[in-house]
Coordinates of all heavy atoms in Angstrom, one line a residue:
N438 N 0.5 7.4 26.6 CA -0.8 7.9 26.1 C -1.8 6.9 25.7 O -3.0 7.2 25.5 CB -0.5 8.9 24.9 CG 0.1 10.2 25.4 OD1 0.5 10.3 26.6 ND2 0.0 11.2 24.6
A439 N -1.4 5.6 25.5 CA -2.3 4.6 25.2 C -2.0 3.3 26.0 O -0.8 3.1 26.3 CB -2.3 4.3 23.7
R440 N -3.0 2.5 26.3 CA -2.7 1.2 27.0 C -2.1 0.2 26.0 O -1.2 -0.5 26.4 CB -4.0 0.7 27.7 CG -4.3 1.5 29.0 CD -5.7 1.1 29.5 NE -5.7 -0.3 29.7 CZ -6.8 -1.1 29.3 NH1 -7.9 -0.5 28.9 NH2 -6.8 -2.4 29.6
L441 N -2.7 0.1 24.9 CA -2.2 -0.8 23.9 C -1.7 0.0 22.6 O -2.5 0.7 22.0 CB -3.3 -1.8 23.5 CG -2.9 -2.8 22.3 CD1 -1.8 -3.8 22.7 CD2 -4.2 -3.6 21.9
W442 N -0.5 -0.3 22.3 CA 0.0 0.4 21.0 C 0.2 -0.7 19.9 O 0.8 -1.8 20.2 CB 1.4 1.0 21.3 CG 1.3 2.3 22.0 CD1 1.4 2.5 23.3 CD2 1.3 3.6 21.4 NE1 1.3 3.8 23.7 CE2 1.3 4.5 22.6 CE3 1.2 4.1 20.1 CZ2 1.2 5.9 22.3 CZ3 1.1 5.5 19.9 CH2 1.1 6.4 21.0
V443 N -0.4 -0.4 18.8 CA -0.3 -1.4 17.7 C 0.3 -0.7 16.5 O -0.1 0.3 16.1 CB -1.7 -2.0 17.2 CG1 -1.5 -3.0 16.2 CG2 -2.4 -2.5 18.4
W444 N 1.4 -1.3 15.9 CA 1.8 -0.7 14.7 C 1.3 -1.6 13.5 O 1.4 -2.8 13.5 CB 3.4 -0.9 14.6 CG 3.9 -0.1 13.3 CD1 3.7 1.1 13.0 CD2 4.9 -0.7 12.4 NE1 4.4 1.4 11.8 CE2 5.0 0.3 11.4 CE3 5.4 -1.9 12.1 CZ2 5.9 0.1 10.2 CZ3 6.2 -2.1 11.0 CH2 6.4 -1.2 10.1
R445 N 0.6 -0.8 12.6 CA -0.1 -1.5 11.5 C 0.8 -1.2 10.2 O 0.8 -0.1 9.7 CB -1.5 -1.0 11.3 CG -2.5 -1.8 10.5 CD -2.0 -2.7 9.5 NE -3.1 -3.7 9.1 CZ -2.8 -4.7 8.2 NH1 -1.6 -4.9 7.8 NH2 -3.8 -5.5 7.9
C446 N 1.4 -2.2 9.7 CA 2.3 -2.1 8.5 C 1.6 -2.5 7.3 O 1.1 -3.6 7.2 CB 3.6 -3.0 8.8 SG 4.6 -3.0 7.3
H447 N 1.5 -1.5 6.4 CA 0.8 -1.8 5.1 C 1.7 -2.1 3.9 O 1.3 -2.2 2.8 CB -0.1 -0.6 4.8 CG -1.2 -0.4 5.8 ND1 -2.5 -0.9 5.6 CD2 -1.2 0.3 6.9 CE1 -3.2 -0.5 6.6 NE2 -2.5 0.3 7.4
I448 N 3.0 -2.2 4.2 CA 3.9 -2.3 3.1 C 4.6 -3.7 3.0 O 4.6 -4.4 4.0 CB 5.0 -1.1 3.0 CG1 5.8 -1.1 4.3 CG2 4.3 0.1 2.8 CD1 6.8 0.0 4.3
D449 N 5.3 -3.9 1.9 CA 6.0 -5.1 1.7 C 7.3 -5.1 2.3 O 8.3 -4.5 1.9 CB 6.1 -5.3 0.2 CG 6.9 -6.6 -0.2 OD1 7.5 -7.2 0.7 OD2 6.9 -7.0 -1.4
L450 N 7.5 -5.8 3.5 CA 8.7 -5.8 4.2 C 9.5 -7.1 4.0 O 10.4 -7.4 4.8 CB 8.4 -5.6 5.7 CG 8.3 -4.3 6.3 CD1 8.2 -4.3 7.8 CD2 9.5 -3.4 6.0
S451 N 9.2 -7.8 2.9 CA 9.9 -9.1 2.7 C 11.4 -9.0 2.4 O 12.2 -9.8 2.7 CB 9.2 -9.8 1.6 OG 9.1 -9.1 0.4
T452 N 11.8 -7.9 1.7 CA 13.2 -7.7 1.3 C 13.6 -6.3 1.6 O 14.1 -5.6 0.7 CB 13.5 -8.1 -0.2 OG1 12.6 -7.3 -0.9 CG2 13.4 -9.5 -0.4
P453 N 13.6 -6.0 2.8 CA 13.9 -4.5 3.2 C 15.3 -4.2 3.0 O 16.2 -5.1 3.1 CB 13.4 -4.4 4.6 CG 13.6 -5.8 5.2 CD 13.3 -6.7 4.1
N454 N 15.7 -3.0 2.9 CA 17.0 -2.5 3.0 C 17.4 -2.7 4.5 O 16.7 -2.2 5.4 CB 17.1 -1.0 2.7 CG 18.4 -0.4 2.8 OD1 19.1 -0.6 3.7 ND2 18.8 0.4 1.8
A455 N 18.4 -3.5 4.8 CA 18.7 -3.9 6.1 C 19.1 -2.8 7.0 O 18.7 -2.7 8.1 CB 19.9 -5.0 6.1
L456 N 19.8 -1.8 6.4 CA 20.2 -0.7 7.2 C 19.0 0.2 7.7 O 19.0 0.6 8.8 CB 21.1 0.3 6.3 CG 22.5 -0.1 6.2 CD1 23.2 1.0 5.2 CD2 23.2 0.0 7.6
T457 N 18.1 0.3 6.8 CA 16.9 1.2 7.2 C 16.0 0.4 8.2 O 15.6 1.1 9.2 CB 16.0 1.4 5.9 OG1 16.9 1.8 4.8 CG2 14.9 2.4 6.2
L458 N 15.9 -0.8 8.0 CA 15.1 -1.6 9.0 C 15.7 -1.6 10.3 O 15.0 -1.4 11.4 CB 14.8 -3.0 8.5 CG 13.9 -3.9 9.4 CD1 12.5 -3.2 9.5 CD2 13.8 -5.3 8.8
E459 N 17.1 -1.8 10.4 CA 17.8 -1.8 11.6 C 17.5 -0.5 12.4 O 17.4 -0.5 13.6 CB 19.3 -2.0 11.2 CG 20.1 -2.5 12.4 CD 21.6 -2.6 11.9 OE1 21.8 -3.3 10.9 OE2 22.4 -1.9 12.5
R460 N 17.6 0.6 11.6 CA 17.5 1.9 12.2 C 16.0 2.1 12.7 O 15.7 2.9 13.7 CB 17.8 2.9 11.2 CG 18.1 4.3 11.5 CD 19.4 4.4 12.2 NE 19.5 5.8 12.8 CZ 20.2 6.8 12.2 NH1 20.9 6.5 11.2 NH2 20.2 8.0 12.7
L461 N 15.0 1.5 12.0 CA 13.6 1.7 12.4 C 13.2 0.9 13.6 O 12.4 1.2 14.5 CB 12.7 1.4 11.2 CG 11.2 1.6 11.4 CD1 10.8 3.1 11.5 CD2 10.4 1.0 10.2
L462 N 13.8 -0.3 13.7 CA 13.3 -1.4 14.7 C 13.3 -0.9 16.1 O 12.3 -1.2 16.9 CB 14.2 -2.7 14.6 CG 13.7 -3.7 13.5 CD1 14.7 -4.8 13.4 CD2 12.3 -4.2 13.8
P463 N 14.3 -0.1 16.6 CA 14.2 0.4 18.0 C 12.9 1.2 18.2 O 12.4 1.2 19.3 CB 15.4 1.3 18.1 CG 16.3 0.8 17.1 CD 15.5 0.3 16.0
Y464 N 12.4 1.8 17.2 CA 11.1 2.6 17.4 C 9.9 1.7 17.4 O 8.9 2.1 17.8 CB 11.0 3.6 16.2 CG 12.1 4.7 16.3 CD1 13.2 4.6 15.4 CD2 12.0 5.7 17.2 CE1 14.2 5.5 15.5 CE2 13.1 6.7 17.3 CZ 14.1 6.5 16.4 OH 15.1 7.5 16.5
L465 N 10.1 0.4 16.9 CA 9.0 -0.5 16.9 C 8.9 -1.3 18.2 O 7.9 -1.9 18.5 CB 9.0 -1.4 15.7 CG 9.1 -0.7 14.3 CD1 9.2 -1.8 13.2 CD2 7.9 0.1 14.1
T466 N 10.0 -1.4 18.8 CA 10.1 -2.2 20.1 C 9.1 -1.9 21.1 O 8.5 -2.8 21.7 CB 11.5 -2.1 20.7 OG1 12.5 -2.3 19.6 CG2 11.8 -3.1 21.8
P467 N 8.7 -0.6 21.4 CA 7.7 -0.4 22.4 C 6.3 -0.8 22.1 O 5.4 -0.9 23.0 CB 7.8 1.1 22.7 CG 8.9 1.6 21.9 CD 9.3 0.6 20.8
Y468 N 6.0 -1.2 20.9 CA 4.7 -1.6 20.6 C 4.4 -2.9 21.1 O 5.3 -3.9 20.9 CB 4.5 -1.7 19.0 CG 4.4 -0.2 18.3 CD1 5.6 0.4 17.9 CD2 3.2 0.4 18.1 CE1 5.5 1.6 17.2 CE2 3.1 1.6 17.5 CZ 4.3 2.2 17.0 OH 4.2 3.4 16.4
Q469 N 3.2 -3.1 21.7 CA 2.9 -4.5 22.2 C 2.5 -5.4 21.0 O 2.5 -6.6 21.2 CB 1.7 -4.4 23.2 CG 2.1 -3.8 24.5 CD 1.5 -2.4 24.6 OE1 1.6 -1.6 23.7 NE2 0.8 -2.1 25.7
A470 N 2.0 -4.8 19.9 CA 1.6 -5.6 18.8 C 1.9 -5.0 17.5 O 1.9 -3.7 17.4 CB 0.1 -5.9 18.9
A471 N 2.2 -5.8 16.4 CA 2.4 -5.2 15.1 C 1.6 -6.1 14.2 O 1.6 -7.3 14.3 CB 3.8 -5.2 14.8
V472 N 1.0 -5.5 13.1 CA 0.1 -6.2 12.2 C 0.7 -6.1 10.8 O 1.0 -5.0 10.4 CB -1.3 -5.7 12.3 CG1 -2.2 -6.4 11.3 CG2 -1.9 -5.8 13.7
F473 N 0.7 -7.3 10.1 CA 1.3 -7.3 8.8 C 0.3 -8.0 7.9 O -0.5 -8.8 8.4 CB 2.6 -8.1 8.8 CG 3.7 -7.5 9.7 CD1 3.7 -7.8 11.1 CD2 4.6 -6.6 9.2 CE1 4.6 -7.2 11.9 CE2 5.5 -6.0 10.0 CZ 5.5 -6.3 11.3
H474 N 0.4 -7.7 6.6 CA -0.6 -8.4 5.6 C -0.2 -9.9 5.5 O -1.0 -10.6 5.2 CB -0.3 -7.8 4.2 CG -0.7 -6.4 4.1 ND1 -1.8 -5.8 4.9 CD2 -0.3 -5.4 3.3 CE1 -1.9 -4.6 4.5 NE2 -1.1 -4.3 3.5
L475 N 1.1 -10.2 5.5 CA 1.5 -11.6 5.2 C 2.6 -12.0 6.3 O 3.4 -11.1 6.7 CB 2.3 -11.6 3.9 CG 1.7 -11.1 2.6 CD1 2.6 -11.4 1.5 CD2 0.3 -11.8 2.4
G476 N 2.7 -13.3 6.5 CA 3.8 -13.8 7.4 C 5.1 -13.5 6.9 O 6.0 -13.1 7.6
A477 N 5.2 -13.4 5.5 CA 6.6 -13.1 4.9 C 7.0 -11.7 5.2 O 8.2 -11.4 5.0 CB 6.5 -13.3 3.4

Side-chain angles (χ1 to χ4, degrees):
N438 287 15
R440 285 174 50 220
L441 172 66
W442 285 89
V443 185
W444 186 55
R445 199 336 166 186
C446 175
H447 295 263
I448 61 180
D449 177 349
L450 272 187
S451 54
T452 53
N454 179 318
L456 277 179
T457 312
L458 184 61
E459 197 180 305
R460 197 72 187 260
L461 182 69
L462 274 176
Y464 297 100
L465 303 181
T466 308
Y468 287 90
Q469 291 107 309
V472 178
F473 301 86
H474 294 331
L475 307 182

